[in-house]
Amino acid sequence: MNPAYMLRQTMEKYESLYGVRGHITSLKYYRPETAPDEWEKSALQEFERGAKEISEFTEMDGKLYYRYMSTITVKKGCLKCHGHQEYKVGDVRGGVSVSVPMTPYLINQQRQTITLAVSLGLLWLLGFTGLVWAKRGLKNRARERDRAETELQKSHDRLEQRVEERTTELTHEIEERKQAEEVLEKSEAFLDAMGQMAKVGGWEVDAETHEVRWTAETYRIHEIPQGSKPTLDEAINFFHPEDRPELERAIKRALEHGEPYDMEIRFITARGKHLWTHTNCKPHVVDGRTVKLTGTFQDITEQKRNEEALRESEERYRRIFENIQDIYCEASMDGTILEISPSIENLSKYKRKELIGKSLYDIYTDPKEREELLRVILDKGKIVNFEVHLTDKNGSQHSVELNTTLHRDQKGNPRKLIGSMRDISERKRLEARLLQSEKMEAVGTLAGGIAHEFNTLMTTVMGNADLALMSTGKDDPLREGLEDIKSAGERAADLTRQILAFSRKQMRQPKIQDLNEVLVNSEKTLKRLITGNVELKTIFESSLRTVNMDTTQIEQMVVNLVTNARDAMPTGGTLTIETANVDLDEDFFKDLAEEEQPGSYVMLSVTDTGSGMDAKTQEHMFDPFYTTGEVGKGAGLGLSMVYGIVKQNEGAIRVDSEIGRGSTFKIYLPIAKDDPEAEKTDLTREDAPKGSEEIDT
């Protein structure tokens, strides 16, 4: 509250009660009602010459008044309102005058004088006695006048003391107000400084006038000069046009219903810079009515960029975490899984949620591998390409390659393991296939060389045996021995052909033909091969593509596969021969570790429901002279011959077998490139296989 205003209120109260006039005036007044009268102007001039106070009896409006006036000097706080009048601290800015009316005291004196005159008249009438009494009365009246003057002086002194006391009180109030203003200024300066350091601005809106006040930081964010006085509407227009309606509704609710708000909103500075800002509002409600709004205002553009970058980073790493083929894992030192990527589900067959909190060591196939892993990682702090074996939920084993780092706490104690796992079971299988293929290639090369040398030797033996038989009679005792030599030579020649077939050096006469026709023509041969209670099923592609192969090789391949299937079903079963057109891609040959080209192939499949083969047998099934049969019941070259024929014709072979579930041999032969539109076998003819048959021999 303005001290001058307080003093004027006090003076108006005194004037209404006692008729005492008060007036605050100055030689440099800016309102007509504060202009000094002549006596006050004279007193103010005396103040400028050094006087501190002035008092005297003088007339005002034709009436006698006692007038008193003291100085008002300029303090630091006064410059806020009166600095434009060029005052300095210590200057005499004006004075406070008090005018006490003397009329009540003069009326009293006049009444006393009339009474005195009447008394004198009576004294004259009454004579000397009256004069005596008049004299006595005059003395009484004189004493009363003296007493009245004394009371008047006392009243003057009391009024002067009261004015002095009130002036002192007002001075103290002004000083307190000035101190409060100084504290407020310091507080505002402190808040501005803190706001600039924290980059948080403040604002205030008067609910009635809509006058807006900002802190220095708020001006800085708006990029407008400090001290500007924008209206509420102008302040709202700084916000993005698309976000502005929401802000206007929030301000309206705050003004009308006292509802606070807190929002992140886009903003455009005075220089056209686009920002993200955070603003909130706290309505101040008095007697159910909002009197003002206060709030904070902050530039959060960098925070928004960081949040977006963090969100993108988290999303990017989440996608990597969820889609990475390798398995990311964090585990405590006791093996408890703290975090693991979803790719573990493909390996372990467990759901990721099932594994969190479970011990990783529980799915290790060999506890010794776990102990070795811990020993190495505690010794070296990390492991690289460490191979272990894990058992999945279904009991299947997988080869896994680990790359793990040991993390320690600030004291150096082991805290947890962080690393990755890679399922290398497929790689191991392909490596084994490749190794097997290379081995077969080497064995084939060796066998081919031996077969050629052996064939040369046997040609000499057979030739000489024939010559000896030609010169020996039927009854000659040497003839039987020579015939045995020739028979053994023929068997050796057949063995040589099988070895040459395996080594891919067999002489052949390829031609374009339909595989279905060859199979139909081999029907009688197949019937002779199948023994026991065996059901034969055939599933032939109706429009099978042609192949460019030697007919004898096809027959040898089929006979050996059927013979192998027959031997696997000593108590009977089902043998299925199937043909089909297939298109093979790179992944198929990559899976087989083969070098053949992707494209169109003819598939020949032979399936039995026999005893099946274990993994060890499958590793060696194409090795020459490898057999699981009894001694004397085969040389172990049947499947080797099949393998050699397939490879000689740039085909591929795939075997699926499991103990107790039989075996399936699938041979993929490239289609004939010289006759891509060759006529396909018409399986509607009478002599074509009809799908299945049962043969008992």
Side-chain angles (χ1 to χ4, degrees), residues 188 191-192 200-205 210-239 267-268 270 279 293 295-297:
E188 290 178 347
L191 289 176
D192 280 346
V200 178
W203 57 269
E204 180 181 277
V205 174
H210 289 186
E211 180 182 355
V212 178
R213 291 183 59 214
W214 289 344
T215 64
E217 180 64 13
T218 303
Y219 280 107
R220 188 194 67 78
I221 296 174
H222 281 74
E223 294 187 331
I224 62 176
Q226 189 169 346
S228 303
K229 296 293 184 180
T231 64
L232 179 58
D233 289 339
E234 290 172 342
I236 292 174
N237 285 336
F238 279 97
F239 292 90
F267 182 84
I268 304 173
T279 182
L293 307 177
T296 62
F297 185 67

Side-chain angles (χ1 to χ4, degrees), residues 95-108:
V96 179
S97 69
V98 179
S99 301
V100 181
M102 301 303 298
T103 300
Y105 303 100
L106 292 176
I107 290 174
N108 184 48

Side-chain angles (χ1 to χ4, degrees), residues 185-464:
E185 287 177 356
K186 291 179 180 179
S187 177
E188 290 178 347
F190 175 76
L191 289 176
D192 280 346
M194 292 300 100
Q196 290 178 7
M197 286 189 287
K199 295 186 177 180
V200 178
W203 57 269
E204 180 181 277
V205 174
D206 186 290
E208 184 175 350
T209 64
H210 289 186
E211 180 182 355
V212 178
R213 291 183 59 214
W214 289 344
T215 64
E217 180 64 13
T218 303
Y219 280 107
R220 188 194 67 78
I221 296 174
H222 281 74
E223 294 187 331
I224 62 176
Q226 189 169 346
S228 303
K229 296 293 184 180
T231 64
L232 179 58
D233 289 339
E234 290 172 342
I236 292 174
N237 285 336
F238 279 97
F239 292 90
H240 195 282
E242 294 180 2
D243 298 345
R244 203 175 295 154
E246 181 183 0
L247 177 63
E248 290 173 337
R249 288 191 294 270
I251 294 175
K252 183 178 180 181
R253 290 193 300 269
L255 290 171
E256 295 179 356
H257 307 293
E259 295 182 13
Y261 63 80
D262 189 312
M263 63 176 63
E264 293 180 354
I265 188 169
R266 290 174 292 176
F267 182 84
I268 304 173
T269 70
R271 297 179 183 176
K273 187 187 299 182
H274 287 250
L275 306 175
W276 269 100
T277 59
H278 172 257
T279 182
N280 60 32
C281 168
K282 178 184 178 182
H284 294 258
V285 181
V286 177
D287 297 332
R289 185 174 64 88
T290 302
V291 296
K292 68 176 179 179
L293 307 177
T294 59
T296 62
F297 185 67
Q298 185 178 13
D299 178 3
I300 60 170
T301 306
E302 189 65 26
Q303 175 185 330
K304 277 287 188 180
R305 289 197 191 102
N306 293 337
E307 288 176 355
E308 180 64 19
L310 178 61
R311 187 193 65 78
E312 291 177 356
S313 177
E314 289 177 345
E315 177 64 19
R316 181 168 60 255
Y317 283 107
R318 183 189 64 80
R319 290 195 299 268
I320 294 173
F321 182 75
E322 291 179 352
N323 297 295
I324 189 172
Q325 294 302 309
D326 287 355
I327 301 163
Y328 173 83
C329 181
E330 294 183 15
S332 61
M333 296 307 297
D334 63 0
T336 301
I337 298 174
L338 307 175
E339 183 59 270
I340 197 162
S341 60
S343 50
I344 187 63
E345 297 179 359
N346 297 327
L347 171 68
S348 70
K349 305 304 184 290
Y350 289 97
K351 293 295 183 182
R352 175 175 171 272
K353 292 182 179 179
E354 292 181 77
L355 292 174
I356 299 296
K358 182 181 177 71
S359 176
L360 182 62
Y361 302 147
D362 290 345
I363 59 176
Y364 272 57
T365 303
D366 187 353
K368 292 182 180 179
E369 291 181 342
R370 177 184 67 190
E371 295 170 2
E372 178 66 11
L373 167 68
L374 288 175
R375 185 190 67 78
V376 173
I377 200 168
L378 288 174
D379 180 42
K380 298 184 177 180
K382 65 178 181 179
I383 55 173
V384 178
N385 298 337
F386 189 91
E387 185 176 338
V388 297
H389 297 83
L390 303 182
T391 303
D392 65 21
K393 193 173 185 179
N394 299 329
S396 300
Q397 294 183 9
H398 300 266
S399 297
V400 175
E401 194 174 73
L402 298 181
N403 289 277
T404 305
T405 302
L406 175 65
H407 281 244
R408 301 179 181 272
D409 59 21
Q410 293 181 347
K411 296 181 180 179
N413 299 319
R415 191 168 70 88
K416 64 179 178 179
L417 303 174
I418 298 179
S420 64
M421 296 184 287
R422 176 175 294 176
D423 185 0
I424 59 172
S425 302
E426 187 66 13
R427 188 182 79 189
K428 299 281 284 187
R429 186 177 66 82
L430 293 177
E431 287 174 352
R433 283 178 178 266
L434 180 60
L435 182 62
Q436 176 72 5
S437 178
E438 291 175 346
K439 182 185 71 173
M440 297 297 290
E441 185 74 23
V443 171
T445 301
L446 177 61
I450 294 173
H452 274 293
E453 293 296 327
F454 186 70
N455 190 50
T456 301
L457 295 174
M458 290 310 299
T459 300
T460 302
V461 172
M462 291 288 291
N464 287 308

Side-chain angles (χ1 to χ4, degrees), residues 610-623:
S611 57
M613 295 181 289
D614 58 21
K616 183 177 180 181
T617 301
Q618 292 183 53
E619 289 179 5
H620 300 282
M621 60 186 172
F622 295 126
D623 292 357

